[in-house]
Amino acid sequence: MPLRPVRPSAAAALVALLLLATGCATVGGSSADRAGPGRELSAAELRAAAVVDADLGAGYTVTVMTPGHGDTGAGAGREVADVPARQPLLDTVTPATPAASASPAPGYPYAETDLSVARAADPRGGVYGGLLGYRTGRAAVLQAELEKLFGPCAAFTSMAPAPPAEKPGKKAPIRTGHRLNREDTPTPGGADAALGFTLTNESGSAVLSRRAVLARIGPALAVFTTFGVAAEPAAAPDEVIVRQQVAKLRAAQAKKK
């Protein structure tokens, strides 16, 4: 079962939809740390703050994309969690991005820039990133709420429609097990906080994994993800990419208009 790439806009849903899983944990924002220094960036400034090849050095190729680009999930059917409160964890894999709005829904950013980074020395180790702009203080609250989801949602199952058959005949839906594990993730220099996790999809003998690192930089969140299978689990996102992107976002926030 090949690993199907997800749309880059999963970055925003990774934050917003996980926060809807209130059946797995009691969520509240009172314990959130104060947001670090830095101003809100406009959509154009956020896009300009994305890393480029020169920021990373020889061997790296960066592609900046419009949120939603590369969606390969059409017709694949939506996986449904065994408990409705856990559905957001699945929707982070193939989310539906809300329509652009001057007043985005709670949990969604007011601006987003997505990118993918390939490395010549590791052609299978691409990193997908999302830069998410939030109103001042909101990123800190979201990060604190996400911290509370680990543990209660550690394991769950889902059902998905069977893939289309070449010949007529109804096929049974596919039952999949999922595991959510927190990963030790140091906070990169320039970030206010960071957290990491791995989400697996286990269907029969196939084990697909997605590993993510979320860094909070002032009023923005940067999400980095990689993908893998049982024989080659998803690796931690390249530290060079994470470190350089965090530094570039922090520098952009420090500039005066």
Side-chain angles (χ1 to χ4, degrees), residues 51 78 248:
V51 292
R78 183 171 184 247
K248 196 166 183 180

Side-chain angles (χ1 to χ4, degrees), residues 15 32-46 100-112 131-143 192 216-221 253 257:
V15 178
D33 295 333
R34 290 181 300 172
R39 65 181 178 84
E40 296 176 13
L41 301 178
S42 68
E45 290 175 318
L46 192 68
S101 171
S103 301
Y108 279 95
Y110 66 83
E112 175 183 359
L131 311 182
L132 315 176
Y134 291 91
R135 298 308 177 193
T136 300
R138 183 59 179 162
V141 172
L142 294 178
Q143 183 263 330
D192 298 304
R216 174 165 60 84
I217 308 98
L221 295 177
Q253 293 173 353
K257 287 188 177 181

Side-chain angles (χ1 to χ4, degrees), residues 93-245:
V93 180
T94 51
T97 304
S101 171
S103 301
Y108 279 95
Y110 66 83
E112 175 183 359
T113 291
D114 294 322
L115 58 147
S116 66
V117 184
R119 187 184 178 195
D122 185 14
R124 300 185 62 181
V127 175
Y128 295 85
L131 311 182
L132 315 176
Y134 291 91
R135 298 308 177 193
T136 300
R138 183 59 179 162
V141 172
L142 294 178
Q143 183 263 330
E145 291 176 345
L146 286 170
E147 293 276 359
K148 299 179 181 181
L149 293 179
F150 298 98
C153 296
F156 59 101
T157 61
S158 69
M159 299 292 286
E166 295 182 358
K167 56 184 178 180
K170 186 175 182 180
K171 298 178 68 175
I174 299 173
R175 185 177 183 84
T176 303
H178 303 275
R179 293 185 182 279
L180 177 67
N181 296 304
R182 182 161 188 165
E183 305 286 354
D184 289 335
T185 303
T187 300
D192 298 304
L195 63 87
F197 69 86
T198 295
L199 178 65
T200 64
N201 292 11
E202 303 169 8
S203 178
S205 60
V207 178
L208 313 178
S209 61
R210 178 184 184 186
R211 186 158 173 173
V213 168
L214 182 148
R216 174 165 60 84
I217 308 98
L221 295 177
V223 185
F224 309 88
T225 56
T226 60
F227 304 91
V229 294
E232 297 182 41
D238 189 328
E239 291 184 2
V240 172
I241 300 171
V242 175
R243 184 173 62 250
Q244 294 290 65
Q245 182 58 84

Side-chain angles (χ1 to χ4, degrees), residues 29-118:
S30 60
S31 62
D33 295 333
R34 290 181 300 172
R39 65 181 178 84
E40 296 176 13
L41 301 178
S42 68
E45 290 175 318
L46 192 68
R47 187 179 181 87
V51 292
V52 297
D53 300 4
D55 296 321
L56 302 176
Y60 288 91
T61 301
V62 180
T63 302
V64 178
M65 298 170 287
T66 300
H69 174 79
D71 179 12
T72 58
R78 183 171 184 247
E79 288 187 77
V80 179
D82 56 350
V83 176
R86 295 169 182 167
Q87 185 64 40
L89 292 170
L90 297 180
D91 289 339
T92 64
V93 180
T94 51
T97 304
S101 171
S103 301
Y108 279 95
Y110 66 83
E112 175 183 359
T113 291
D114 294 322
L115 58 147
S116 66
V117 184

